[in-house]
Amino acid sequence: MAAARRVAVTGTGTLAGMSGVTRARRPERGGRFRRFLERISSSEEELRSADLRRDARSAGCTPISACADRQIVRVAGTLRTVTLRPRAGVPTLEAELFDGTASLDIVWLGRRAIAGVEPGRKMIVWGRTTLQHGRPVIFNPTYELRPFEEE
Protein backbone atom coordinates (compact mmCIF):
# COMPACT_ATOMS: atom_id res chain seq x y z
CA MET A 1 0.00 0.00 0.00
CA ALA A 2 1.45 3.36 -1.00
CA ALA A 3 1.91 6.01 1.66
CA ALA A 4 -0.08 9.20 1.19
CA ARG A 5 2.09 12.11 0.20
CA ARG A 6 1.34 15.53 1.67
CA VAL A 7 1.47 18.35 -0.86
CA ALA A 8 1.41 22.02 0.12
CA VAL A 9 0.46 24.92 -2.09
CA THR A 10 3.03 27.70 -2.23
CA GLY A 11 2.35 31.35 -2.89
CA THR A 12 3.78 31.11 -6.40
CA GLY A 13 1.07 28.82 -7.69
CA THR A 14 3.18 25.63 -7.78
CA LEU A 15 2.67 22.59 -5.65
CA ALA A 16 5.54 22.03 -3.24
CA GLY A 17 7.19 18.71 -3.82
CA MET A 18 6.10 18.53 -7.46
CA SER A 19 8.32 20.68 -9.62
CA GLY A 20 6.87 22.19 -12.74
CA VAL A 21 3.25 21.48 -11.82
CA THR A 22 1.16 24.61 -11.53
CA ARG A 23 -1.98 24.86 -9.53
CA ALA A 24 -5.07 24.87 -11.68
CA ARG A 25 -7.16 27.97 -11.14
CA ARG A 26 -10.89 27.92 -11.47
CA PRO A 27 -12.32 30.76 -13.42
CA GLU A 28 -14.30 33.18 -11.28
CA ARG A 29 -17.99 32.53 -11.56
CA GLY A 30 -19.94 35.65 -10.95
CA GLY A 31 -21.69 38.41 -12.63
CA ARG A 32 -25.27 38.36 -13.70
CA PHE A 33 -25.76 34.59 -13.70
CA ARG A 34 -24.59 34.25 -10.09
CA ARG A 35 -26.84 37.11 -8.94
CA PHE A 36 -29.74 35.51 -10.84
CA LEU A 37 -29.17 32.18 -9.08
CA GLU A 38 -28.92 33.89 -5.68
CA ARG A 39 -32.18 35.75 -6.27
CA ILE A 40 -34.17 32.67 -7.30
CA SER A 41 -32.78 30.59 -4.43
CA SER A 42 -33.36 33.28 -1.76
CA SER A 43 -36.47 33.53 0.35
CA GLU A 44 -38.80 36.48 0.03
CA GLU A 45 -37.69 37.81 3.43
CA GLU A 46 -34.02 37.75 2.38
CA LEU A 47 -34.85 39.64 -0.82
CA ARG A 48 -36.79 42.31 1.12
CA SER A 49 -33.91 42.65 3.57
CA ALA A 50 -31.44 43.13 0.71
CA ASP A 51 -33.69 45.80 -0.83
CA LEU A 52 -33.99 47.61 2.53
CA ARG A 53 -30.20 47.55 3.00
CA ARG A 54 -29.74 48.95 -0.51
CA ASP A 55 -32.33 51.72 0.10
CA ALA A 56 -30.72 52.73 3.42
CA ARG A 57 -27.25 52.81 1.84
CA SER A 58 -28.50 54.94 -1.10
CA ALA A 59 -30.10 57.40 1.38
CA GLY A 60 -26.73 57.77 3.13
CA CYS A 61 -27.95 56.24 6.38
CA THR A 62 -26.15 54.21 9.04
CA PRO A 63 -27.08 50.50 9.24
CA ILE A 64 -28.99 49.81 12.46
CA SER A 65 -26.62 46.94 13.25
CA ALA A 66 -23.77 49.50 13.42
CA CYS A 67 -25.56 51.87 15.83
CA ALA A 68 -23.80 52.29 19.17
CA ASP A 69 -25.14 53.49 22.50
CA ARG A 70 -25.46 57.31 22.86
CA GLN A 71 -24.57 57.92 19.22
CA ILE A 72 -26.44 60.38 16.99
CA VAL A 73 -27.50 58.41 13.93
CA ARG A 74 -29.59 58.67 10.80
CA VAL A 75 -31.27 55.38 9.87
CA ALA A 76 -33.79 54.32 7.23
CA GLY A 77 -36.09 51.33 7.08
CA THR A 78 -39.65 50.04 7.15
CA LEU A 79 -41.95 50.08 10.16
CA ARG A 80 -42.83 46.55 11.20
CA THR A 81 -45.11 47.35 14.15
CA VAL A 82 -46.74 50.42 15.66
CA THR A 83 -48.13 50.12 19.19
CA LEU A 84 -49.80 52.46 21.69
CA ARG A 85 -48.33 51.60 25.09
CA PRO A 86 -48.69 53.85 28.16
CA ARG A 87 -45.56 54.49 30.26
CA ALA A 88 -46.14 55.74 33.80
CA GLY A 89 -49.62 56.96 32.83
CA VAL A 90 -48.36 58.88 29.78
CA PRO A 91 -49.51 57.78 26.32
CA THR A 92 -46.58 56.48 24.29
CA LEU A 93 -46.45 55.52 20.63
CA GLU A 94 -43.83 52.83 19.92
CA ALA A 95 -42.71 51.54 16.54
CA GLU A 96 -40.18 48.98 15.36
CA LEU A 97 -38.02 50.07 12.40
CA PHE A 98 -36.24 47.37 10.37
CA ASP A 99 -33.53 48.15 7.79
CA GLY A 100 -32.49 44.67 6.67
CA THR A 101 -29.64 44.40 9.20
CA ALA A 102 -31.40 44.81 12.56
CA SER A 103 -34.36 46.43 14.30
CA LEU A 104 -34.55 49.69 16.23
CA ASP A 105 -37.35 50.85 18.53
CA ILE A 106 -38.72 54.36 18.07
CA VAL A 107 -40.65 55.91 20.97
CA TRP A 108 -42.73 59.09 20.86
CA LEU A 109 -43.64 60.17 24.39
CA GLY A 110 -47.02 61.87 24.92
CA ARG A 111 -48.41 60.80 21.54
CA ARG A 112 -51.36 58.52 20.89
CA ALA A 113 -51.00 58.54 17.10
CA ILE A 114 -49.03 60.26 14.34
CA ALA A 115 -50.54 60.65 10.89
CA GLY A 116 -48.74 58.42 8.39
CA VAL A 117 -46.90 56.35 11.01
CA GLU A 118 -48.25 52.87 10.35
CA PRO A 119 -46.85 49.38 9.67
CA GLY A 120 -45.29 49.00 6.24
CA ARG A 121 -44.35 52.66 5.96
CA LYS A 122 -40.77 53.56 5.01
CA MET A 123 -39.09 56.21 7.15
CA ILE A 124 -35.82 57.99 7.69
CA VAL A 125 -35.25 58.67 11.39
CA TRP A 126 -32.48 60.55 13.16
CA GLY A 127 -31.71 61.10 16.80
CA ARG A 128 -29.60 59.79 19.68
CA THR A 129 -29.72 56.06 20.32
CA THR A 130 -29.83 54.45 23.72
CA LEU A 131 -29.87 50.78 24.66
CA GLN A 132 -32.83 49.37 26.57
CA HIS A 133 -32.87 45.67 27.30
CA GLY A 134 -30.11 45.21 24.72
CA ARG A 135 -32.07 46.87 21.88
CA PRO A 136 -31.32 50.28 20.34
CA VAL A 137 -34.04 52.90 20.98
CA ILE A 138 -34.53 56.48 19.80
CA PHE A 139 -36.88 58.68 21.85
CA ASN A 140 -38.83 61.50 20.14
CA PRO A 141 -36.84 61.34 16.88
CA THR A 142 -36.88 63.66 13.94
CA TYR A 143 -38.31 61.71 11.03
CA GLU A 144 -39.19 61.81 7.36
CA LEU A 145 -41.97 59.66 5.93
CA ARG A 146 -41.20 57.98 2.62
CA PRO A 147 -43.86 57.00 0.04
CA PHE A 148 -45.37 53.52 0.07
CA GLU A 149 -43.99 51.03 -2.46
CA GLU A 150 -46.03 50.33 -5.55
CA GLU A 151 -47.07 46.67 -5.64
Side-chain angles (χ1 to χ4, degrees), residues 73-139:
V73 296
R74 183 173 187 251
V75 295
T78 301
L79 293 177
R80 282 186 166 173
T81 61
V82 178
T83 310
L84 176 62
R85 183 173 296 143
R87 287 183 178 216
V90 177
T92 303
L93 187 66
E94 296 184 8
E96 179 187 9
L97 186 74
F98 180 71
D99 75 343
T101 63
S103 293
L104 174 122
D105 293 330
I106 305 167
V107 179
W108 288 276
L109 300 170
R111 302 294 300 261
R112 293 185 189 281
I114 298 175
V117 175
E118 54 194 48
R121 188 65 179 252
K122 288 189 174 189
M123 295 180 76
I124 296 177
V125 176
W126 52 98
R128 186 175 303 274
T129 60
T130 184
L131 291 179
Q132 285 197 337
H133 308 290
R135 290 179 55 98
V137 180
I138 298 179
F139 287 94

Side-chain angles (χ1 to χ4, degrees), residues 20-109:
V21 178
T22 59
R23 181 176 157 203
R25 287 204 133 167
R26 276 178 119 175
E28 290 285 328
R29 294 190 187 225
R32 289 185 216 158
F33 185 67
R34 180 180 218 168
R35 287 191 301 268
F36 172 73
L37 287 177
E38 286 174 357
R39 285 198 68 86
I40 63 171
S41 65
S42 298
S43 71
E44 189 173 332
E45 184 66 26
E46 289 171 338
L47 295 175
R48 282 190 191 139
S49 293
D51 289 342
L52 288 172
R53 286 190 301 269
R54 192 176 321 104
D55 290 346
R57 193 172 38 250
S58 69
C61 296
T62 305
I64 292 174
S65 61
C67 292
D69 191 25
R70 304 198 43 78
Q71 177 185 16
I72 296 177
V73 296
R74 183 173 187 251
V75 295
T78 301
L79 293 177
R80 282 186 166 173
T81 61
V82 178
T83 310
L84 176 62
R85 183 173 296 143
R87 287 183 178 216
V90 177
T92 303
L93 187 66
E94 296 184 8
E96 179 187 9
L97 186 74
F98 180 71
D99 75 343
T101 63
S103 293
L104 174 122
D105 293 330
I106 305 167
V107 179
W108 288 276
L109 300 170

